[in-house]
C-alpha cells in the first residue's frame, strides 16, 4: 500500500504564487528609481528639501563665465602683491597682458548682450576662492621675483585651456571660433612667458634639472590639454620644496548661470 | 494500491487561468526596466536644448583640407630639421612631430573618409635658425588662421574639440618661433 500524503503545495498553487511574486516584483522594480536604491527608512519628521533648479550650460553661460575668468586674470595680474615683486623687465608684460584680458571682456560683452545675457564685471568668485587668493598669498609670502612669471604662464595657460574646453560645450559654431581667437592669443602670451623663463630653442622641450625638478617648457605637449594647470609658487617649505598650486578651468559649480 | 488524493478546499482556477496570469506576470516583468527608466527619467528631466551633433559627415571636406595642411606643414619641417643642428634641430624636430601628430589625429578621426594628403612642403626653409623660424612662424600663423576660421563651420563637436586642441598649441608655435626669429617678446604676443 502506498500512502501518498497530499502536499500543501500543489503544482497549481506553486504556479499561481510564482506568477504573483513575479508580477509584484516587477511592479516594485518599476516604482523604484536608481536614486532610491540606497535610501533607509526614517523615523520622525524629516524636513522638506527644496530640489535645486536644473541649470543648463548655454552659450550665454559660457560667455559670462569667460568674462569672469578674464576679469579674474586681469585682477590677479594687477594686484599689488604681484606687481610689487615683478622685475622691471617683466612689468611691461604684466601690464600688457592685464590690459589684453580687459580688452577681451569688451569683446565678450556684446556677444553676451546680443544673446540676452547680462555682462559680468567681477572676477569669478568660486575660482578666486579655490585658487586665486591662494596664489596671490603664496606670491606675497614667497617674495620671489620668479613667481611672477610662473604665475603669468599659469594664468595664460588657464585662459587658453578654458576657451579650448568651452569649444566642446558651445552650441553655436561661429562662437567657437570667436572663443578660440581669444584662447589662441592667451596661448601666445603663455609661450612668450615660458620663453622669458627658459629662453631659446632649448626651452621648447620639457626637461628636468640636476635636482630632478621639471623645467618650464614652451611646448609641453602636442595638443592643448584640459588638465589642471600646475604652478609652483610661494616659500620653500621645511622639506626644501615648494608646493604646486592647481588651477582648474571653470566647471559646473563655477560657471555663471 | 490506494491513492489518497485530497484536494484542498479552495477555489480551483482552471489551467487556462493560471497560464494567463503567468503570462501577465511575465509581461509586467519584461516592461519593468522601461517603467523604472521612465520613472527615474521623469525625476531628473529638465528642459532640453538641441545639442550639436558629436560627428557630422558634412565636416569631412574641411577636415580633409586641415589634414592636407598639417601634412604639408610636417613636410616643411622635415626640410628645416635637415638644415638645423644642435638644440635648434631638436626644437624643430619637436614641432615637426607635433604636426605629424595633428595629421595622424585628423586622419584617425576621418578614418575611411580620409583622403590622401599632400606631402609637398609649403616652403623651403634654409639658412640661419632665425631666418627659418621667421618663415615657419608665418606658416604657423596661416595654419592657425585656417583652423580658426574652419571652427566657425564645423558642425560636429568632436571635430571642433580636436581642432581647438591643435589651435591651442599651434598658437604657441607662432609666438615661440617669432621670439627665436628675433621679434621682441613683448611684440610676439
Amino acid at each position: 500500500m502506498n500512502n501518498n500524503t497530499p502536499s500543501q503545495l500543489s503544482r497549481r498553487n506553486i504556479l499561481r504564487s510564482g506568477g504573483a511574486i513575479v508580477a509584484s516584483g516587477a511592479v516594485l522594480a518599476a516604482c523604484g528609481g536608481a536614486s532610491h536604491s540606497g535610501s533607509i527608512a526614517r523615523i520622525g519628521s524629516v524636513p522638506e528639501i527644496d530640489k535645486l533648479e536644473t541649470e543648463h550650460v548655454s552659450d550665454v553661460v559660457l560667455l559670462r563665465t569667460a568674462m569672469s575668468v578674464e576679469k579674474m586674470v586681469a585682477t590677479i595680474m594687477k594686484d599689488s602683491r604681484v606687481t610689487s615683486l615683478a622685475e622691471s623687465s617683466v612689468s611691461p608684460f604684466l601690464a600688457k597682458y592685464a590690459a589684453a584680458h580687459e580688452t577681451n571682456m569688451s569683446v565678450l560683452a556684446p556677444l553676451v548682450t546680443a544673446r540676452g545675457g547680462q555682462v559680468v564685471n567681477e572676477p569669478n568668485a568660486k575660482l578666486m576662492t579655490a585658487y586665486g587668493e591662494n596664489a596671490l598669498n603664496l606670491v606675497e609670502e614667497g617674495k620671489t621675483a620668479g613667481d611672477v612669471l610662473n604665475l603669468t604662464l599659469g594664468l595664460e595657460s588657464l585662459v587658453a585651456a578654458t576657451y579650448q574646453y568651452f569649444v566642446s560645450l558651445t552650441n553655436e559654431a561661429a562662437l567657437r571660433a570667436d572663443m578660440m581667437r581669444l584662447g589662441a592669443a592667451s596661448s601666445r602670451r603663455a609661450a612668450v612667458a615660458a620663453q622669458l623663463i627658459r629662453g631659446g630653442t632649448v626651452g621648447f622641450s620639457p626637461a628636468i634639472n640636476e635636482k630632478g625638478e621639471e623645467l618650464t617648457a614652451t611646448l609641453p605637449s602636442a595638443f592643448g590639454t584640459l588638465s589642471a594647470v600646475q604652478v609652483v609658487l610661494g616659500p620653500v617649505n621645511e622639506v626644501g620644496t615648494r608646493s604646486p598650486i592647481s588651477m582648474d578651468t571653470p566647471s559646473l559649480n563655477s560657471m555663471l548661470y | 494500491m490506494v491513492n489518497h488524493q485530497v484536494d484542498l478546499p479552495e477555489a480551483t482556477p482552471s489551467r487556462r487561468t493560471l497560464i494567463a496570469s503567468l503570462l501577465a506576470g511575465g509581461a509586467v516583468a519584461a516592461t519593468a526596466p522601461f517603467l523604472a527608466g521612465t520613472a527615474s527619467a521623469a525625476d531628473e528631466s529638465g528642459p532640453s536644448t538641441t545639442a550639436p551633433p558629436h560627428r557630422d559627415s558634412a565636416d569631412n571636406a574641411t577636415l580633409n583640407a586641415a589634414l592636407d595642411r598639417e601634412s604639408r606643414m610636417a613636410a616643411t619641417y622635415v626640410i628645416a630639421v635637415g638644415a638645423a643642428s644642435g638644440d635648434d634641430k631638436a626644437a624643430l624636430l619637436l614641432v615637426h612631430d607635433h604636426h605629424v601628430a595633428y595629421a595622424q589625429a585628423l586622419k584617425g578621426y576621418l578614418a575611411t573618409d580620409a583622403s590622401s594628403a599632400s606631402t609637398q612642403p609649403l616652403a623651403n626653409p634654409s639658412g640661419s635658425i632665425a631666418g627659418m623660424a621667421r618663415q615657419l612662424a608665418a606658416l604657423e600663423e596661416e595654419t592657425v588662421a585656417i583652423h580658426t576660421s574652419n571652427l566657425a563651420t564645423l558642425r560636429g563637436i568632436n571635430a571642433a574639440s580636436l581642432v581647438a586642441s591643435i589651435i591651442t598649441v599651434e598658437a604657441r608655435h607662432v609666438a615661440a618661433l617669432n621670439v627665436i626669429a628675433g621679434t621682441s617678446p613683448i611684440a610676439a604676443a
Side-chain angles (χ1 to χ4, degrees):
Chain A
M1 187 175 149
N2 186 6
N3 282 333
N4 197 1
T5 308
S7 169
Q8 293 295 312
L9 291 171
S10 66
R11 184 189 298 168
R12 184 168 291 156
N13 265 343
I14 289 171
L15 288 171
R16 186 166 52 198
S17 57
I21 288 166
V22 168
S24 57
V27 170
L28 285 173
C31 294
S35 58
H36 304 299
S37 58
S39 62
I40 301 168
R42 288 169 186 255
I43 298 172
S45 62
V46 178
E48 286 287 323
I49 298 171
D50 293 332
K51 197 178 175 188
L52 291 175
E53 285 183 28
T54 306
E55 297 285 2
H56 293 275
V57 181
S58 64
D59 289 355
V60 173
V61 169
L62 295 173
L63 289 166
R64 280 168 48 79
T65 307
M67 287 191 81
S68 73
V69 172
E70 295 277 10
K71 182 68 179 178
M72 177 185 76
V73 171
T75 303
I76 292 174
M77 285 181 173
K78 285 163 63 178
D79 193 284
S80 60
R81 286 169 278 186
V82 176
T83 53
S84 62
L85 267 182
E87 292 173 344
S88 58
S89 59
V90 174
S91 293
F93 289 92
L94 267 184
K96 185 182 177 185
Y97 290 6
H101 290 290
E102 284 178 340
T103 304
N104 287 353
M105 290 184 66
S106 61
V107 172
L108 291 166
L111 298 174
V112 173
T113 51
R115 288 162 181 78
Q118 281 194 316
V119 297
V120 177
N121 285 309
E122 297 297 322
N124 190 300
K126 288 269 175 64
L127 298 184
M128 278 302 281
T129 307
Y131 51 74
E133 279 299 334
N134 194 15
L136 286 169
N137 291 335
L138 284 170
V139 168
E140 186 179 30
E141 290 165 20
K143 296 182 175 59
T144 311
D147 279 357
V148 176
L149 274 177
N150 286 338
L151 182 60
T152 305
L153 170 59
L155 290 171
E156 293 295 353
S157 302
L158 173 74
V159 175
T162 298
Y163 285 116
Q164 185 190 319
Y165 171 51
F166 282 5
V167 164
S168 66
L169 302 174
T170 305
N171 279 310
E172 203 179 318
L175 205 53
R176 294 179 205 148
D178 292 336
M179 286 184 174
M180 277 312 293
R181 281 190 190 93
L182 302 179
S186 268
S187 258
R188 290 166 200 235
R189 289 191 284 271
V192 170
Q195 277 288 300
L196 292 174
I197 296 168
R198 183 165 164 252
T201 50
V202 72
F204 278 28
S205 310
I208 54 169
N209 63 14
E210 63 280 359
K211 293 178 188 171
E213 296 164 338
E214 195 178 343
L215 297 173
T216 299
T218 307
L219 306 173
S221 59
F223 295 89
T225 58
L226 299 177
S227 53
V229 178
Q230 304 275 340
V231 187
V232 178
L233 299 170
V236 177
N237 59 26
E238 62 275 8
V239 188
T241 60
R242 301 198 299 160
S243 303
I245 187 167
S246 192
M247 302 197 292
D248 277 303
T249 54
S251 189
L252 296 177
N253 65 346
S254 49
M255 288 188 178
L256 274 66
Y257 297 96
Chain B
M1 191 168 82
V2 179
N3 278 326
H4 295 281
Q5 182 74 35
V6 180
D7 280 329
L8 293 170
E10 57 185 358
T12 55
S14 67
R15 184 181 295 171
R16 187 172 293 164
T17 314
L18 284 169
I19 291 170
S21 68
L22 272 176
L23 284 174
V28 175
T31 53
F34 300 104
L35 291 171
T38 310
S40 35
D43 288 345
E44 294 155 14
S45 69
S48 62
T49 54
T50 306
H54 286 288
R55 192 185 180 97
D56 196 312
S57 58
D59 297 337
N60 288 353
T62 305
L63 294 173
N64 268 310
L67 166 62
D68 198 69
R69 176 76 188 187
E70 291 301 343
S71 179
R72 296 186 70 184
M73 285 295 284
T76 310
Y77 273 94
V78 168
I79 299 172
V81 168
S85 61
D87 289 336
D88 301 337
K89 191 183 190 86
L92 293 176
L93 186 61
L94 177 73
V95 185
H96 162 267
D97 291 348
H98 286 185
H99 287 287
V100 170
Y102 304 150
Q104 287 174 344
L106 289 162
K107 198 169 184 177
Y109 182 86
L110 285 161
T112 53
D113 293 318
S115 56
S116 61
S118 167
T119 53
Q120 185 157 6
L122 291 159
N124 187 21
S126 60
S128 68
I129 183 66
M132 287 197 290
R134 188 172 298 108
Q135 210 171 356
L136 293 168
L139 290 173
E140 294 279 4
E141 184 87 77
E142 270 179 27
T143 310
V144 170
I146 289 168
H147 289 329
T148 308
S149 104
N150 284 346
L151 260 189
T153 62
L154 289 175
R155 297 177 61 186
I157 207 78
N158 290 349
S161 298
L162 171 60
V163 172
S165 73
I166 293 172
I167 291 171
T168 299
V169 177
E170 284 188 338
R172 281 189 176 231
H173 292 170
V174 176
L177 288 166
N178 272 327
V179 171
I180 299 302
T183 306
S184 153
I186 194 93

